[in-house]
Amino acid sequence: MLYQQRGGTQMSAWPISLETDRLVLRPWRETDAEALFRYASDPEVGPACGWEPHASIEDSLTSLRDILMVPETYAITIKPSDEAVGTISLMATSKDPSLSPAEREVGFWLGRPFWGNGYTPEATREVLRHGFLDLGLSVIWCGYYEGNEKSARAQEKIGFRPHHVDEGSVDHRGVERREHVSRITREEWVTALAADPGDENTISHQQAEAVRIVDALPLVAYVRSGGQTGADRGGLDAARACAVPICGWCPPGGLSEDYPEPPGLLTEYPELVEGTASGYVERTAWNVRDSHATLIIAPDGIPPRGGTEMTRIFAEQFGRPVMVVSGPDEASAILDWLRGVGRGLTLNVAGPSRIQVSRNLRDNARRCPCRA
């Protein structure tokens, strides 16, 4: 048959069925009475939604005839079964007579054995699509009674936004309860769909776009260092040779072994930023903190109780990946490690303050993996 929405805004054929990846939403039938009783008799289901648990199959059959077997009220079935395990409806609510003809309320419940599988959000998203696109609705409302946290979480996942609280709502049993009312507009739904699409063509297009973006990223986007002589400065020089931007925290005044007076190493490396604390501890911590990973170049190993050991400790404390190598001859291993961390990385380079390390890095700068 054909039915017309209140106000004559849209015509739609009934009965119809809606389908998602895992579900079929179909009209209720009298033959569903046994399945309806199986799940609607659960005392954990009905009272949370404001109605008494079904006491008999006859109760369920009456509910089918008087409430459920109407347009835009669907039995939720899980593929490939045709058993009704819950319901979802798009109602012209009588709670608020001020609603326009293009506004509806969605209501739903699901049998307890099927909780926790994402079926309710999946069904509701399809009903929203149907309501906004097929029926031309402008606003869809939803609500839950105080204490029904499962429904609250489901509505939040779907994109409903809190609107108001009805302190004196009366449920189907005649009990006065506190009801939280939320809604989603067509414009909000369209925006959310663009950010989190459900159709396969859009998903495939966005996934392909994401792959292109990631593939276009350099392996290392920035090299970070404190600029001390040795490995620190060698890393900055190697990055410049590879045309990779540099950055880093340094002590106030650009302090380093060979630049004891301000502006210090900032004369040679103006990209660095002065920290607030004197000495090297703060800038060591901040450079580790503000990087995706730390590469320690220590030709003779990490000296105990020094700045390089402090770097390794900070990396562990901040939860940052750290690799210790002896020099550029391990470029292949460094490359494999970096690929395992990700792309578009900010790499912190550190190590003992030895001039020879810096020279070796400069000599081998072209072997750096930054652009791989």
Side-chain angles (χ1 to χ4, degrees):
M1 69 175 180
L2 292 175
Y3 77 98
Q4 192 165 20
Q5 296 190 74
R6 178 168 59 89
T9 59
Q10 187 84 26
M11 296 289 291
S12 178
W14 184 266
I16 64 169
S17 293
L18 306 175
E19 188 171 348
T20 71
D21 290 341
R22 299 183 296 170
L23 308 175
V24 173
L25 312 179
R26 61 163 175 79
W28 284 93
R29 304 185 288 255
E30 288 190 1
T31 53
D32 293 319
E34 186 175 340
L36 176 59
F37 175 69
R38 182 178 300 118
Y39 302 114
S41 60
D42 188 338
E44 294 295 319
V45 174
C49 299
W51 43 268
E52 294 288 353
H54 291 195
S56 65
I57 293 181
E58 288 70 26
D59 278 354
S60 297
L61 187 58
T62 298
S63 292
L64 283 167
R65 291 168 174 167
D66 295 347
I67 301 173
L68 298 176
M69 293 175 60
V70 297
E72 299 305 335
T73 295
Y74 301 89
I76 300 174
T77 70
I78 302 171
K79 296 177 182 177
S81 173
D82 189 52
E83 181 189 37
V85 299
T87 191
I88 186 165
S89 59
L90 204 53
M91 305 166 286
T93 179
S94 59
K95 290 182 179 180
D96 187 351
S98 67
L99 293 183
S100 77
E103 299 181 49
R104 288 291 182 275
E105 178 183 358
V106 64
F108 46 77
W109 64 264
L110 188 70
R112 182 158 46 148
F114 309 98
W115 292 356
N117 293 293
Y119 294 135
T120 297
E122 184 173 333
T124 308
R125 288 190 182 100
E126 174 58 18
V127 168
L128 292 182
R129 182 208 63 76
H130 172 61
F132 287 128
L133 296 187
D134 299 336
L135 302 182
L137 301 180
S138 61
V139 179
I140 296 177
W141 296 83
C142 198
Y144 66 92
Y145 292 116
E146 184 88 4
N148 191 350
E149 296 304 320
K150 289 184 177 63
S151 185
R153 288 193 296 269
Q155 292 178 37
E156 183 180 4
K157 289 179 182 178
I158 296 160
F160 283 92
R161 299 184 179 183
H163 188 269
H164 67 274
V165 175
D166 186 348
E167 299 288 353
S169 178
V170 178
D171 67 17
H172 297 287
R173 303 170 299 176
V175 178
E176 189 172 294
R177 305 175 68 177
R178 193 168 191 258
E179 183 178 12
H180 298 260
V181 180
S182 57
R183 74 171 194 174
I184 184 170
T185 66
R186 179 186 172 91
E187 291 75 17
E188 291 167 345
W189 176 76
V190 170
T191 300
L193 187 66
D196 186 16
D199 65 281
E200 290 300 321
N201 288 337
T202 303
I203 290 175
S204 297
H205 175 75
Q206 292 193 354
Q207 287 177 339
E209 184 179 6
V211 170
R212 287 194 297 271
I213 291 172
V214 172
D215 287 345
L217 289 173
L219 186 58
V220 176
Y222 290 90
V223 167
R224 176 178 290 277
S225 169
Q228 187 57 274
T229 61
D232 286 30
R233 202 168 298 172
L236 297 177
D237 293 342
R240 281 178 169 173
C242 293
V244 175
I246 63 174
C247 59
W249 293 101
C250 66
L255 175 68
S256 67
E257 286 182 340
D258 56 343
Y259 286 107
E261 300 297 330
L265 60 87
L266 295 172
T267 301
E268 191 173 348
Y269 303 96
E271 297 94 336
L272 273 58
V273 178
E274 298 175 71
T276 59
S278 60
Y280 301 109
V281 176
E282 180 189 73
R283 62 89 165 160
T284 299
W286 287 6
N287 282 325
V288 172
R289 178 198 66 188
D290 296 343
S291 301
H292 296 101
T294 291
L295 176 65
I296 297 177
I297 303 175
D300 300 320
I302 297 178
R305 305 183 67 177
T308 304
E309 183 181 44
M310 188 184 305
T311 299
R312 180 184 59 79
I313 292 172
F314 279 133
E316 293 174 353
Q317 291 178 339
F318 284 122
R320 302 291 192 270
V322 59
M323 183 179 189
V324 181
V325 299
S326 61
D329 290 340
E330 298 181 58
S332 178
I334 296 171
L335 180 59
D336 290 341
W337 173 69
L338 288 173
R339 284 172 173 164
V341 176
R343 300 191 69 87
L345 303 174
T346 295
L347 178 65
N348 181 42
V349 178
S353 57
R354 297 181 180 178
I355 298 298
Q356 184 59 43
V357 175
S358 181
R359 289 173 180 163
N360 287 342
L361 280 169
R362 274 192 284 262
D363 293 342
N364 291 277
R366 292 296 178 182
R367 301 174 61 187
C368 69
C370 299
R371 291 297 177 185

